[in-house]
Structure formats: C-alpha cells, structure tokens
Amino acid sequence: MPHPFTWVPGDHARHVSEDPVPPPGVEFPPDLTVTALCGREVTSAAGEIAWLWPTCPDCDGRARELVGAPPRTDSADGEQC
Ligand SMILES: [Zn+2]
C-alpha cells in the first residue's frame, strides 16, 4: 500500500503533497501546482537540481506523522525552508 502522498520539488524546497501527482519513477511534470502539507501552494519544478533542494521541514514533519515515523532527531535542518 503506497503512502498517500508524494514528494514535490518546488519553490526551492522538496515539499510533500497529498494531491494526485505522478508516482515516483515517473518523470515529474513541471509547472504542476499542488497544495503541500505545509500549506504552501507549490508549483513543481523539473530537473535533477530540483530534487537536490533542501527538504521542507514542515512537510517532512507532517509526512512523518502520516506514516507514524518519529520526528527527526537532528536539528541541523530545522531552520531551512
Ligand atoms: Zn512544504
């Protein structure tokens, strides 16, 4: 059972969205506007660089809640996004 959310690179960060988007492995369409878990409206970006952007900490935390994973213990990227 796949998780009901997808990572979306956009707005210079990697966000998580529950909107219907292509599954991982499928080329992600650019200029796709989705609502991220952090509440932002994110327009997806294309290219490998986009996937190297830092993780949105709000989306990361909410995604971890969805899957029941513990929150990050390292506070290093707490100030990003
Ligand atoms: Zn986000």
Side-chain angles (χ1 to χ4, degrees):
M1 181 105 179
H3 298 310
F5 57 79
T6 309
W7 289 96
V8 180
D11 198 20
H12 298 280
R14 291 186 303 120
H15 296 271
V16 178
S17 177
E18 293 180 291
D19 288 8
V21 291
V26 176
E27 186 173 348
F28 207 90
D31 301 324
L32 182 70
T33 300
V34 300
T35 302
L37 296 185
C38 61
R40 292 179 177 87
E41 293 257 309
V42 178
T43 301
S44 63
E48 294 180 355
I49 296 294
W51 289 106
L52 299 178
W53 287 338
T55 302
C56 171
D58 291 340
C59 283
D60 183 70
R62 288 178 180 269
R64 286 169 183 273
E65 287 180 14
L66 286 176
V67 300
R72 287 190 179 210
T73 51
D74 63 298
S75 56
D77 7 314
E79 299 301 316
Q80 294 179 353
C81 194

